[in-house]
Amino acid sequence: MSIVNRQSSIKSQSSIKSSRVLVVGLGRSGLAAARLLHFLKAEVTVTDTRDKNVLSQALKNLPGDIRVEAGVHSPALLEDTDMVVVSPGVSLNQPFFDLAGERGIEVVGEMELAFRVLRPYGIPWVAITGTNGKSTTTTMIDLMLTRGGFRVITGGNLGSAITEEVLSCLKDDTAGDVEYVVVEVSSFQLESIREFAPSVASILNITPDHLDRYRDMDGYIEAKAGIFRNQTRDDCLILNLDDPLVRELGSHAPSEVFYFSTQESRGGVTPPIPRGAYLREGWLCINADRKEDRIIRVQDVRIKGVHNIENALAASLNAVLCGVDMAAIRDVLSEFSGLEHRMEFVEEIEGVGFYNDSKGTNTGSVIKSLEGFQDGVILILGGRDKGNDFTPLREYMRGRVKGLVVIGEAREKILGQLDGVTAALEAEDMADAVTKAYSMAGAGDVVLLSPGCASFDMFEDFEHRGKVFKESVRSLMKRVLVVQNS
């Protein structure tokens, strides 16, 4: 069964050709957008507030005839510009973008650019957002669609920038063969959409995050809700029934709403939702077309944790709506072991397990990770504060976390808000944190890196932080083995 309407492929010339486009921000998305625009014969200029020396490596990846301005976003750049493409890491709350608006210059994001370029091909988009679980769910959907026999391109906030994937298809002349575009979408990317309208959109959860960028929680929720703003009644929206903030958004949706829930429905009792995905008698079930199908037993889902059962339900519902058969969905759920830096088991040293959850960059994510353990957790927490309130962790730490090691710029705030919950130590760097966490642990305990903060005070990104954590754990293991053998 497929509820998604797939339009016939219609090739046409892109309206980008001969346009004068300014790309703001030379991160991964900005670079990809600039290369795509150049391929489409646009006249491209790029600008970044960082110095040219800092950008030297990035600039090597751009065609030589692209104009570059570094160190400042000069208003003069807007004088000969038809459109501005902004990278998600660049805040729109700047006078430069106000000036563009006053001059009638459209400002769009890299995701919007990719959507417009592919629109002539009539390809349905599947978009996933939420505070936590986006990457895992997006990956599972990609695997399910691929196992189901569909040709898919996947990107966005996960892996490659989606404009990079679109460029590859256009260069290979294979865009007409693509049956689905699957994208992980952040709130930052949703700020700069205009016409972006996925055929299937999902909001997994909403907990406080990025409050250093938004005026308040309502601003963050508003950004997330943008994922269904341009949908129509022919599109599908998937929401988490168990999250009150997400559930309430269903009343505002112009599209057909489906829900997923980990609430258990037993025997002949009516499911918790009329249409969607849920649990019944230990099974993941789907009733998207008002006929219940059992997919797989919870115990047979390879990726573990309550939050990953939510992700599995959401991914399965997406796949069913796109026409993937149950066998393909079941195969993926029984095989997929998870992503790096997301509750990733690293090593066991003298009975102490080490888990890398470096992607846990907000309080809600830390709570989800802690729920996977009963007790004996030594938690490594800290980094650059994003405006989060750490006090909700107190409830989840009691009886579960036997020790806390704090790192980074947010150390004092964390220690103040979590004072008295458990024994706590400060660490100067990741290696020091791993060593001190191990000193607080005993056989049967776990050391969990789930920092609840951004990484940029000490690391390049969450992946770099996770890599350093794993290196520190393995270095500790070598030291322990030397002592044992001496």
Side-chain angles (χ1 to χ4, degrees):
M1 180 204 83
S2 174
I3 292 179
V4 176
N5 293 317
R6 289 195 293 274
Q7 305 170 29
S8 59
S9 175
I10 308 169
K11 269 196 171 181
S12 66
Q13 291 296 316
S14 169
S15 59
I16 298 296
K17 187 175 182 180
S18 301
S19 295
R20 297 165 299 178
V21 185
L22 174 66
V23 176
V24 181
L26 284 177
R28 181 190 59 170
S29 297
L31 289 170
R35 288 191 291 263
L36 174 61
L37 288 162
H38 184 268
F39 176 82
L40 294 172
K41 309 300 183 186
E43 183 181 323
V44 185
T45 301
V46 298
T47 177
D48 194 293
T49 55
R50 291 173 291 177
D51 186 83
K52 248 184 182 178
N53 292 329
V54 177
L55 294 169
S56 59
Q57 190 59 44
L59 296 177
K60 290 178 182 178
N61 295 316
L62 287 177
D65 56 342
I66 288 181
R67 179 184 168 197
V68 179
E69 180 184 84
V72 66
H73 300 321
S74 169
L77 291 172
L78 297 173
E79 294 177 3
D80 297 310
T81 298
D82 300 312
M83 180 171 70
V84 174
V85 176
V86 59
S87 298
V90 178
S91 173
L92 294 174
N93 295 321
Q94 299 182 44
F96 182 81
F97 298 111
D98 293 336
L99 182 59
E102 292 170 6
R103 296 184 179 183
I105 301 170
E106 188 178 31
V107 178
V108 303
E110 178 254 355
M111 183 77 64
E112 176 77 13
L113 172 65
F115 180 77
R116 293 187 185 186
V117 170
L118 282 188
R119 184 161 45 194
Y121 295 87
I123 307 166
W125 285 57
V126 178
I128 303 90
T129 196
T131 307
N132 302 303
K134 298 186 295 294
S135 296
T136 297
T137 304
T138 301
T139 301
M140 285 196 283
I141 294 170
D142 171 85
L143 293 171
M144 289 171 181
L145 286 167
T146 302
R147 183 67 64 93
F150 295 104
R151 180 174 173 83
V152 183
I153 60 172
T154 300
N157 199 48
L158 166 77
S160 303
I162 194 58
T163 44
E164 192 71 42
E165 297 295 328
V166 171
L167 175 59
S168 295
C169 288
L170 294 179
K171 282 183 173 180
D172 297 340
D173 198 26
T174 58
D177 300 327
V178 175
E179 295 172 278
Y180 285 103
V181 179
V182 181
V183 286
E184 176 189 329
V185 192
S186 70
S187 59
F188 295 173
Q189 289 168 313
L190 289 168
E191 291 174 18
S192 54
I193 62 168
R194 299 293 178 267
E195 300 168 10
F196 177 71
S199 297
V200 184
S202 298
I203 305 179
L204 304 178
N205 46 63
I206 298 179
T207 58
D209 198 12
H210 301 301
L211 297 184
D212 53 341
R213 174 144 166 169
Y214 295 100
R215 65 181 185 276
D216 52 27
M217 189 64 181
D218 287 342
Y220 179 54
I221 295 171
E222 182 182 345
K224 288 292 189 187
I227 198 169
F228 62 78
R229 183 188 308 136
N230 298 320
Q231 286 191 309
T232 69
R233 60 189 302 175
D234 294 326
D235 300 318
C236 304
L237 175 64
I238 297 173
L239 300 176
N240 185 345
L241 184 75
D242 304 337
D243 185 317
L245 292 176
V246 175
R247 182 175 64 242
E248 195 276 332
L249 293 175
S251 61
H252 305 288
S255 42
E256 186 171 8
V257 181
F258 297 79
Y259 293 94
F260 66 91
S261 170
T262 57
Q263 296 176 28
E264 178 74 24
S265 179
R266 300 183 181 279
V269 179
T270 302
I273 45 182
R275 300 182 72 186
Y278 52 91
L279 304 181
R280 187 198 289 277
E281 298 177 336
W283 285 78
L284 274 68
C285 300
I286 296 275
N287 67 341
D289 59 352
R290 295 186 170 85
K291 173 183 174 296
E292 181 174 280
D293 288 296
R294 290 188 167 190
I295 308 172
I296 191 172
R297 289 188 180 277
V298 172
Q299 65 193 43
D300 295 328
V301 178
R302 185 169 182 186
I303 189 170
K304 301 303 179 186
V306 175
H307 59 298
N308 280 321
I309 296 301
E310 290 184 346
N311 297 336
L313 287 166
S316 300
L317 185 50
N318 270 272
V320 166
L321 294 177
C322 292
V324 180
D325 62 78
M326 292 296 168
I329 296 172
R330 187 179 303 114
D331 287 347
V332 171
L333 294 179
S334 64
E335 296 170 4
F336 178 63
S337 59
L339 298 175
E340 189 179 17
H341 311 301
R342 291 132 176 116
M343 287 304 292
E344 173 194 12
F345 175 73
V346 181
E347 297 286 356
E348 182 176 302
I349 305 175
E350 293 289 282
V352 178
F354 289 79
Y355 287 83
N356 168 27
D357 190 40
S358 182
K359 188 64 167 66
T361 59
N362 56 72
T363 306
S365 180
V366 178
I367 289 171
K368 292 281 189 183
S369 299
L370 287 175
E371 286 177 338
F373 302 98
Q374 295 298 315
D375 53 30
V377 177
I378 312 299
L379 177 64
I380 299 176
L381 195 63
R384 175 163 293 172
D385 182 31
K386 298 193 289 181
N388 285 339
D389 177 11
F390 296 96
T391 55
L393 290 175
R394 299 178 70 92
E395 173 188 349
Y396 292 88
M397 288 174 65
R398 287 194 179 95
R400 184 181 271 123
V401 176
K402 67 180 286 187
L404 174 67
V405 179
V406 292
I407 60 174
E409 294 176 358
R411 281 184 296 185
E412 290 187 13
K413 178 178 180 180
I414 293 169
L415 289 172
Q417 293 187 347
L418 300 180
D419 182 47
V421 179
T422 188
L425 297 174
E426 293 186 58
E428 293 303 315
D429 54 32
M430 187 61 75
D432 187 34
V434 167
T435 299
K436 287 179 175 174
Y438 181 66
S439 73
M440 303 174 79
D445 294 340
V446 298
V447 173
L448 171 65
L449 170 67
S450 190
C453 295
S455 58
F456 304 117
D457 56 338
M458 300 168 68
F459 307 97
E460 296 173 8
D461 50 31
F462 78 87
E463 292 165 320
H464 180 216
R465 176 169 59 192
K467 179 182 178 182
V468 173
F469 173 73
K470 291 194 289 185
E471 290 171 348
S472 299
V473 170
R474 286 163 184 149
S475 177
L476 172 64
M477 174 179 270
K478 290 178 182 178
R479 297 199 305 271
V480 171
L481 288 174
V482 168
V483 172
Q484 288 176 342
N485 296 327
S486 60

